[in-house]
Amino acid sequence: MSKLALTVLMCAFALTGCHQPTAAEKAASAFTVDNLQQGDGADLTGCITRVGRAGVTGARIFIEDSLQGGANGYIRINGQLTRVTMVTGGADAVHSIRSFVDATKALSVVESYNIGEAAAGTTVRPVTGELIVTWKGGTQRIPIGGARNCIDAP
């Protein structure tokens, strides 16, 4: 590593230790993204994407109907089920990135994932990526895994 690169790295490391979160920053990021309950999102139709924390089997934290425009989804924050609507985004055959907000604009969810190949004879494609949840100014980045039940739509 060059002397300049080492100096830059050391300065960056030193600066990260300087900022201590304020009480407001700690409070804002202290929300919980809870698992969805059975029946959450039952009104969604068509192609459905369900994701949970990466490496956790069975429990889902976000569900959405994968529409290209006007998609809706659900997430639980601090136990409260909240409906969100897609405001931007899109997908191709191998990647999807979508931004959702709730009616009050206090909650935003950015869903970014890679779409895997479906097993022969199925319409379920695995997805892996990240969910970025921002609520009342606090943000959490959550590695995700799940499935998309629709092989013909990107």
Side-chain angles (χ1 to χ4, degrees):
M1 183 180 288
S2 75
K3 189 174 184 177
L4 176 60
L6 184 58
T7 302
V8 169
L9 182 63
M10 288 174 51
C11 288
F13 181 73
L15 289 174
T16 59
C18 292
H19 175 71
Q20 296 298 320
T22 65
E25 289 171 330
K26 287 179 185 177
S29 64
F31 63 92
T32 302
V33 177
D34 298 307
N35 292 336
L36 294 172
Q37 297 175 5
Q38 187 171 352
D40 289 350
D43 61 320
L44 300 177
T45 60
C47 302
I48 304 293
T49 300
R50 293 175 180 87
V51 297
R53 288 177 175 81
V56 177
T57 305
R60 300 293 178 227
I61 59 172
F62 187 62
I63 184 172
E64 53 103 343
D65 60 14
S66 299
L67 298 173
Q68 287 298 319
N72 292 298
Y74 288 96
I75 191 167
R76 282 191 174 273
I77 304 294
N78 295 338
Q80 178 69 41
L81 182 65
T82 302
R83 182 183 180 102
V84 292
T85 302
M86 187 177 92
V87 290
T88 62
D92 59 28
V94 295
H95 186 74
S96 177
I97 185 165
R98 301 163 191 257
S99 297
F100 296 79
V101 297
D102 71 338
T104 67
K105 310 286 191 268
L107 170 67
S108 72
V109 178
V110 176
E111 173 190 54
S112 175
Y113 57 80
N114 294 318
I115 306 166
E117 291 294 321
T122 71
T123 60
V124 178
R125 297 176 74 174
V127 300
T128 57
E130 180 177 53
L131 207 62
I132 302 169
V133 183
T134 301
W135 187 67
K136 295 186 177 180
T139 299
Q140 294 183 21
R141 299 175 81 93
I142 305 167
I144 57 169
R148 183 178 192 161
N149 292 337
C150 190
I151 200 163
D152 59 349

